Amino acid sequence: MTEFLQFTLGGVSFGMVYAAIALSLVLIWRGTRILNYAQGAMAMLTTYIALTVITHTGSYWEGFIVALAAGLVLGAVIERGVIRPVENRPPLNAVVVTIGLLVLLEGIAGIIYGGQYRSFPTAFSLNGLHAGSVPLGISRNDVFVAGAVLVAALALWALFRFTPAGLRLRAAAFNPRAARLLGVRVGRVLTLGWALAGLIGALAGLLVSPDTFLYPSSMDSIFVLGFTAAVIGGLDSPVGAIVGGLILGVLLNYVGGYLGSNLVPLFGLIALMGVLMFRPSGLFSVSHARQV
Amino acid sequence: MTLLRHLAAALVAGAVIWAASVQLSAFRDFQMAQVAVYVVAIAGLSLLIGLSGQISLGHGAFMAIGAYATALLSTHLNWPWWAMFVASAAVAALAGVIVGLAAARLSGPYLAGATLMLAVALPSLADQFPGVFGGDQGLSVNITAPAALGAAFPLTRWQAWICAIAALAALVILANLSRSKVGRNWRAIRDDPIAAALSGLNVARLRVLAFIVSAACAGLAGSMLAVTTSLVSPGSFTLTLSITLLAGAVLGGLGSLVGALWGALVIVLVPTYVTDVATSHGLSGGAAANIPIAAYGIVLIVVMLVFPYGIQGGLRRLFGLVPAAPPVRLTSPRRPGPADDQAEDHDSPFRRPPVSEHQEEGTP
Amino acid sequence: MKSSHRLRLPAAAAAVTAAALVAAGCGSSGSSSGSGGAAAASAPGITATQILIGSHQPLTGPAAPGYSEIAPAANAYFQYVNAHGGVYGRKIKYTYLDDGYDPAKTVSVVHQLVLQDNVFAIFNGLGTPTHLAVVKYLNSTKVPDLFVASGCDCWNNPAAYPYTFGWQLDYVREGKILGAYIKQHFAGKKIGYFYQNDEFGQDGVKGLDMEIPHSQVVSRQSYVPTNVNIGPQAAALKASGAQVVVSFSIPAFTALLKLAALKLSWNPTFVVSDVGADPITLAGLLEAFAKKGGATVSGNALTQGIITDGYLPTLGDGSNSWIALFKKVHDTYDAKAPLDGNVLYGEAVGYAFVQAMIKAGKNPTRASVVKAVEGGLPQGPSVAPYDYSATDHGGMMGAYIGVIKNGAIVQQGPVWTTDTSPTGPVTQYSGTQPAAPASGMP
């Protein structure tokens, strides 16, 4: 029973990181109909930037803020510089461009920072928490991870729901032509969307890097699972991203604990196919009548 | 007639390759074999994406299936090379049936996600059943040049020959398929599944067939890879391989067999070329080992920006072989959004082009 | 669309293929058997002034952290030798190519080294699955395959692989030595295994099982390097009541295990394979957490008390002449890298190569260097002698047990030697390590 509790709580912690990546993928998909395969690599780069700041100033929170800001900037720069030319092209071009970006960012990180594993600090203590005398298998930092993603998701929701910028984002995503006719600068809004996605991705990188160590390809497997979570939840649904991430994180933790580490990817596939067989567009998809 | 034309072309190509393999060094022969491997894999993937409109990020998994089938046949039954090639393609085709059936209802990014997970999950089976698949150390493949050629015959040249033969055979079959009724049906379901269904085509069956054919190609490529590397282990079939194949297919030009050749050449030659350049400038080891990687990323981005229809599309434009329509249908230049979902199959990588410019305004 | 151009395409394809390949063939920068060819060229890769050797190394990719330091360190030692006269006046040129730990790529780069660059030998090829992909090729083309960087005992196969030699202590032997220590010092305690689910971990466990009574082992948990979430494995080990955890893990996963134990408020005794216990690497991985984990400020605090083994002298032993020599070489030729276990490994195996080349004589051939090693190599920086012979291509025979104290391994007790058989005993080695030569050259 204790083991089950430990697996569940540990799964929530990782699951929230997958949810964060999924959320940023959903943001970009809704806005530009592009799958950003470089999302994990962008998060890796901003985390390296955070590490540099932390090493120089000694303050975790300064590095945290700088990384989030870097995520914003990186997302915006990439959208304007590299993605804008391919937005109106066959969609697979954007796929190859983002893949090229993934490779490029990992190469750059390798050149500047080298390939060795770096230790990344946590905001809070790593000592295990207890419920009475029972060790819960998670630490204060894990609670922070889950909380930070939730806060970010809520902040994003509030942004979309209650602010003019959010309204413009939603309009541009829903019907760009109509939005343009109503005076929305669609191009700028898309850049904002990518910037926000970059921010959430940067957050994910900061939260998970203590557990994975930081090296150029450290975010690769996190990205794969975040992508899977986004697909499970439905690429159009931010709620789906969170739910998908949680389900995946907890499920894979059970698999890793009860069945063995080696079976985790296989069960990820099974979970994904299980969902897609019944809901081909994800759990929270809004189905359109497509067949005649 | 088409078959004869293609066979004739294949014979010419075969003769040229034979001449090249004899003239060039043993190392170039090895590279020729590598290019042949990738040509077959990319051609299959390019057909799947370009002709039938489905995306796959998991073709590395089919290559793994073909490769392991070859290794098992070689270890336990010691079959001749051509039998192993055919059998491995068949086994991968069988896997293609299963995946194709599962994927028939999926489209666009959902199919991408499912195939991505397949590429990640399948190699782990080798570690899960180490007794059968040799675990992390893999299985070895016995390949020797036939005694009739003499003891001093370089193995790499033999490998180049058999891989070239397999590649040419596969390309002839694919070319015929592309020109046949099946190929036309694929293009129909790619461009407009609803209209195709209304015309009486069985969309699901055609999609599964496309998966089967492309999986067979990838399986054959995996078998050729097993023969050239003599060892099959999970470390060779990571997600990177699947992504590389996709990049090669799009770079070369989707739906085009010549495009598959360009894609294969880029994949095999560019990384080694950049590494050589870096080494000759005295950069080696450590951080500098990442320079070829960064350069490869830049190549992918730049080629995509400059040649939106891949290298083959760009060459066609350049040489005026095709006046207006690119080998792959244009998407509409409007930015899409959820409001358009009701009008068309939104998640297909290829959407219906506008009939005329004016039509855009009247979208339901 | 014209249909006639369809015929042109396949033919165009053929023409272009040929053109591209011929261009590639002509355009390739020289190499082949270009350099030298004068009187003293006794073998491929050997000229009057140069010995050319090659290797495949994971410079990028999942295995790069740590392992990518080995080749530059070996090269540093070669540069030292070159600066002090070389081997019979020949300078060693070491070309190591990146294979990203992908066996298919290993085949490609080794073909390039052998066929295009014409190296004299392949030296210190790294990785078990990667090197397995090329071992048959190297032996069939009679290229010396010296001192493979892998602890698999599969390189010790003179019948099938006469040109291949191992070097480091293999994992089965290591498991036996660690196992014997545990049997002696932790009798009656509950033991848990944590191991990498590949040949490294599995061979280590094989060795452990040859010594530790099965009744003592309460849990066996494996991990794969692609999945960093080993929380469940740690929880399972704790739940089994293990008091001693033996870990055949790479440094990242040793660190992760330690972190997971922190989260579980669990503090067993850790016995870790030499592969995953380099104190400097571990401290680097743990340093960010030492502050938060309630320990004092250095990462060393979290590595205190870890038991491990070593087949090279410990970096903490300032009085050891080999460490002094290798430190000097490192500071001169490889100063950017941290002086850790990987650098020590690289320099030590480089020393072994120079020993072999000197023994091979003034006009070495591929066959003569193989004979030289088979004739036995004198003990160098390793703590136990080599057992090279015509029937044994394995390499080192033994190691000492050590404990990490204040960021360095402190030797505990004597050096132990053993073999790879289930019944072979673990015996104390009574000899002493020879001192490093004053000139730094063998």
Side-chain angles (χ1 to χ4, degrees):
Chain A
M1 192 55 211
T2 322
E3 254 188 350
F4 181 77
L5 186 64
Q6 288 167 346
F7 291 164
T8 312
L9 292 174
V12 167
S13 178
F14 263 97
M16 287 310 263
V17 175
Y18 304 147
I21 295 283
L23 199 57
S24 53
L25 288 173
V26 165
L27 256 176
I28 291 180
W29 174 260
R30 282 184 71 148
T32 52
R33 258 5 196 206
I34 287 176
L35 275 172
N36 181 13
Y37 288 92
Q39 193 66 46
M42 287 162 62
M44 173 270 301
L45 199 61
T46 53
T47 313
Y48 263 112
I49 294 174
L51 188 64
T52 317
V53 170
I54 293 174
T55 324
H56 277 128
T57 65
S59 158
Y60 176 85
W61 294 108
E62 272 182 52
F64 191 84
I65 304 284
V66 169
L68 294 184
L72 274 171
V73 169
L74 191 62
V77 163
I78 286 177
E79 197 275 336
R80 292 255 40 211
V82 168
I83 302 295
R84 187 63 68 87
V86 291
E87 267 164 16
N88 287 323
R89 299 292 188 182
L92 281 169
N93 289 26
V95 168
V96 176
V97 166
T98 55
I99 289 174
L101 210 51
L102 161 70
V103 174
L104 177 63
L105 290 175
E106 288 192 5
I108 289 178
I111 293 173
I112 300 178
Y113 298 103
Q116 60 270 24
Y117 288 145
R118 301 289 185 97
S119 182
F120 193 80
T122 56
F124 296 94
S125 157
L126 279 174
N127 283 328
L129 294 172
H130 293 81
S133 62
V134 176
L136 290 172
I138 53 167
S139 62
R140 216 165 274 155
N141 193 60
D142 289 324
V143 177
F144 167 66
V145 166
V149 176
L150 263 176
V151 165
L154 282 171
L156 214 60
W157 175 78
L159 174 80
F160 273 92
R161 190 83 168 69
F162 297 117
T163 66
L167 187 57
R168 284 195 283 271
L169 272 164
R170 279 190 289 145
F174 185 71
N175 194 330
R177 203 172 319 117
R180 202 174 271 126
L181 287 172
L182 288 169
V184 174
R185 309 280 276 277
V186 172
R188 254 185 226 182
V189 160
L190 290 178
T191 310
L192 178 62
W194 270 75
L196 285 174
L199 177 101
I200 310 265
L203 179 68
L206 290 167
L207 295 174
V208 84
S209 290
D211 275 318
T212 62
F213 300 117
L214 184 60
Y215 51 100
S217 44
S218 61
M219 291 297 287
D220 282 358
S221 50
I222 305 290
F223 169 76
V224 168
L225 290 172
F227 182 30
T228 308
V231 172
I232 286 180
L235 276 170
D236 277 304
S237 162
V239 172
I242 307 272
V243 171
L246 278 172
I247 291 179
L248 199 64
V250 173
L251 175 71
L252 291 182
N253 227 36
Y254 290 149
V255 170
Y258 291 122
L259 297 173
S261 234
N262 198 42
L263 284 170
V264 167
L266 193 61
F267 274 81
L269 177 65
I270 292 175
L272 180 64
M273 292 316 291
V275 168
L276 290 178
M277 285 297 94
F278 296 105
R279 308 273 293 174
S281 296
L283 282 173
F284 287 80
S285 60
V286 183
S287 51
H288 296 290
R290 290 213 302 245
Q291 285 299 333
V292 167
Chain B
M1 268 311 293
T2 317
L3 177 62
L4 284 177
R5 271 209 298 250
H6 288 154
L7 280 176
L11 279 172
V12 169
V16 169
I17 292 173
W18 174 83
S21 73
V22 174
Q23 288 289 78
L24 295 173
S25 71
F27 179 59
R28 297 296 172 202
D29 288 343
F30 178 74
Q31 284 188 310
M32 280 172 63
Q34 280 185 302
V35 170
V37 169
Y38 280 103
V39 166
V40 174
I42 292 177
L45 184 61
S46 185
L47 182 144
L48 180 73
I49 304 178
L51 287 194
S52 82
Q54 303 177 85
I55 187 173
S56 167
L57 287 174
H59 264 51
F62 293 122
M63 280 184 76
I65 291 175
Y68 270 96
T70 300
L72 287 170
L73 286 172
S74 167
T75 315
H76 297 297
L77 296 175
N78 215 7
W79 278 11
W81 61 271
W82 49 268
M84 294 199 294
F85 281 170
V86 171
S88 305
V91 172
L94 200 61
V97 172
I98 300 172
V99 174
L101 283 173
R105 295 181 68 199
L106 305 177
S107 48
Y110 302 97
L111 184 55
T115 49
L116 182 92
M117 221 35 215
L118 177 71
V120 171
L122 199 73
S124 69
L125 285 179
D127 287 324
Q128 195 58 27
F129 302 107
V132 180
F133 297 116
D136 215 53
Q137 288 172 271
L139 297 172
S140 64
V141 177
N142 298 322
I143 190 79
T144 45
L149 289 166
F153 194 79
L155 183 62
T156 50
R157 193 176 303 161
W158 175 243
Q159 289 168 331
W161 284 5
I162 58 179
C163 288
I165 292 173
L168 287 172
L171 287 176
V172 166
I173 294 176
L174 287 178
N176 279 1
L177 218 57
S178 169
R179 294 271 300 166
S180 71
K181 184 167 137 199
V182 175
R184 287 194 291 276
N185 289 345
W186 278 335
R187 288 184 186 83
I189 65 168
R190 172 196 73 194
D191 290 339
D192 196 335
I194 298 176
L198 284 173
S199 314
L201 295 178
N202 188 330
V203 174
R205 198 177 294 171
L206 281 165
R207 291 180 127 190
V208 175
L209 183 63
F211 243 100
I212 294 173
V213 171
S214 76
C217 287
L220 175 62
S223 181
M224 290 157 67
L225 183 71
V227 158
T228 45
T229 55
S230 307
L231 181 88
V232 172
S233 67
S236 304
F237 300 104
T238 57
L239 182 60
T240 312
L241 175 64
S242 296
I243 291 183
T244 305
L245 291 178
L246 178 69
V250 182
L251 269 179
L254 285 172
S256 151
L257 293 178
V258 184
L261 176 64
W262 304 136
L265 284 173
V266 167
I267 287 175
V268 172
L269 296 179
V270 167
T272 12
Y273 172 72
V274 179
T275 311
D276 283 344
V277 168
T279 325
S280 66
H281 279 85
L283 303 162
S284 69
N290 285 287
I291 291 179
I293 293 181
Y296 186 60
I298 293 180
V299 166
L300 289 179
I301 295 175
V302 166
V303 171
M304 239 36 259
L305 291 179
V306 174
F307 294 117
Y309 298 104
I311 297 177
Q312 180 61 10
L315 286 177
R316 283 186 177 214
R317 290 269 172 99
L318 225 54
F319 294 121
L321 284 178
V322 174
V328 156
R329 304 300 293 270
L330 264 174
T331 60
S332 100
R334 350 181 290 256
R335 181 164 289 116
D340 298 327
D341 275 352
Q342 274 134 22
E344 46 191 72
D345 178 2
H346 198 75
D347 298 315
S348 147
F350 298 98
R351 302 185 207 101
R352 198 180 50 220
V355 171
S356 76
E357 283 302 302
H358 301 301
Q359 189 107 15
E360 288 188 40
E361 301 304 326
T363 320
Chain C
M1 265 190 296
K2 300 175 267 220
S3 62
S4 55
H5 76 260
R6 291 260 185 221
L7 174 60
R8 296 210 294 257
L9 289 178
V16 172
T17 324
L21 288 167
V22 171
C26 297
S28 80
S29 50
S31 68
S32 35
S33 49
S35 46
S42 46
I46 304 279
T47 69
T49 51
Q50 184 177 282
I51 300 171
L52 179 64
I53 52 175
S55 183
H56 62 87
Q57 300 283 322
L59 300 175
T60 61
Y67 292 152
S68 58
E69 293 171 21
I70 293 178
N75 202 23
Y77 183 73
F78 293 150
Q79 284 175 285
Y80 175 85
V81 167
N82 291 344
H84 288 78
V87 178
Y88 298 118
R90 294 186 177 100
K91 295 204 195 300
I92 301 174
K93 183 157 184 279
Y94 182 26
T95 307
Y96 47 95
L97 297 180
D98 179 26
D99 67 358
Y101 214 70
D102 174 1
K105 215 160 161 219
T106 311
V107 175
S108 186
V109 302
V110 167
H111 273 80
Q112 190 177 339
L113 288 167
V114 171
L115 293 174
Q116 191 174 297
D117 301 335
N118 276 295
V119 294
F120 172 65
I122 295 292
F123 165 70
N124 206 225
L126 201 148
T128 309
T130 43
H131 202 73
L132 277 174
V134 294
V135 66
K136 268 197 250 176
Y137 171 71
L138 289 173
N139 278 277
S140 67
T141 43
K142 298 195 169 44
V143 175
D145 180 16
L146 299 172
F147 311 137
V148 181
S150 141
C152 179
D153 57 356
C154 38
W155 317 123
N156 185 3
N157 191 349
Y161 306 136
Y163 281 77
T164 300
F165 293 86
W167 180 73
Q168 69 192 70
L169 185 70
D170 65 75
Y171 303 130
V172 177
R173 277 191 171 102
E174 193 184 3
K176 283 180 72 177
I177 291 175
L178 287 173
Y181 181 82
I182 291 175
K183 184 166 71 175
Q184 190 186 3
H185 292 243
F186 296 106
K189 293 258 168 79
K190 296 193 184 158
I191 317 286
Y193 291 169
F194 180 70
Y195 62 99
Q196 185 157 307
N197 194 16
D198 66 359
E199 156 270 335
F200 155 52
Q202 287 158 1
D203 274 0
V205 165
K206 228 196 301 184
L208 288 171
D209 280 341
M210 289 177 188
E211 291 293 319
I212 300 178
H214 285 216
S215 53
Q216 265 189 280
V217 182
V218 294
S219 178
R220 292 158 187 261
Q221 301 293 322
S222 72
Y223 74 87
V224 288
T226 44
N227 182 8
V228 290
N229 185 9
I230 49 128
Q233 277 71 38
L237 280 168
K238 177 174 184 197
S240 71
Q243 297 155 296
V244 178
V245 173
V246 189
S247 178
F248 267 82
S249 54
I250 52 178
F253 282 83
T254 314
L256 286 173
L257 183 64
K258 190 81 184 132
L259 287 175
L262 262 179
K263 278 197 206 174
L264 290 167
S265 311
W266 179 48
N267 199 14
T269 308
F270 284 104
V271 179
V272 182
S273 152
D274 166 81
V275 171
D278 179 43
I280 297 170
T281 314
L282 279 181
L285 289 169
L286 292 168
E287 67 181 357
F289 309 116
K291 301 183 179 104
K292 291 285 178 310
T296 49
V297 188
S298 85
N300 290 332
L302 286 174
T303 61
Q304 194 85 335
I306 292 179
I307 300 170
T308 181
D309 65 283
Y311 50 80
L312 293 172
T314 161
L315 279 165
D317 186 357
S319 64
N320 186 294
S321 54
W322 294 100
I323 299 297
L325 166 66
F326 290 145
K327 185 168 190 320
K328 187 171 74 170
V329 172
H330 162 265
D331 292 344
T332 319
Y333 296 103
D334 193 19
K336 267 195 273 181
L339 182 59
D340 63 11
N342 292 305
V343 167
L344 180 63
Y345 179 101
E347 292 197 44
V349 72
Y351 184 90
F353 175 72
V354 175
Q355 276 184 300
M357 287 310 293
I358 289 179
K359 201 164 174 222
K362 285 224 169 65
N363 288 312
T365 63
R366 285 173 163 172
S368 77
V369 76
V370 168
K371 277 251 154 17
V373 181
E374 280 184 342
L377 277 186
Q379 188 176 348
S382 58
V383 299
Y386 298 121
D387 57 359
Y388 292 123
S389 73
T391 50
D392 193 325
H393 286 197
M396 293 186 205
M397 293 204 295
Y400 57 82
I401 299 287
V403 177
I404 299 184
K405 287 196 180 125
N406 298 323
I409 299 179
V410 175
Q411 183 169 341
Q412 312 280 309
V415 173
W416 303 93
T417 57
T418 183
D419 62 6
T420 54
S421 75
T423 49
V426 178
T427 47
Q428 192 168 325
Y429 174 63
S430 50
T432 48
Q433 189 189 39
S439 64
M441 311 248 303

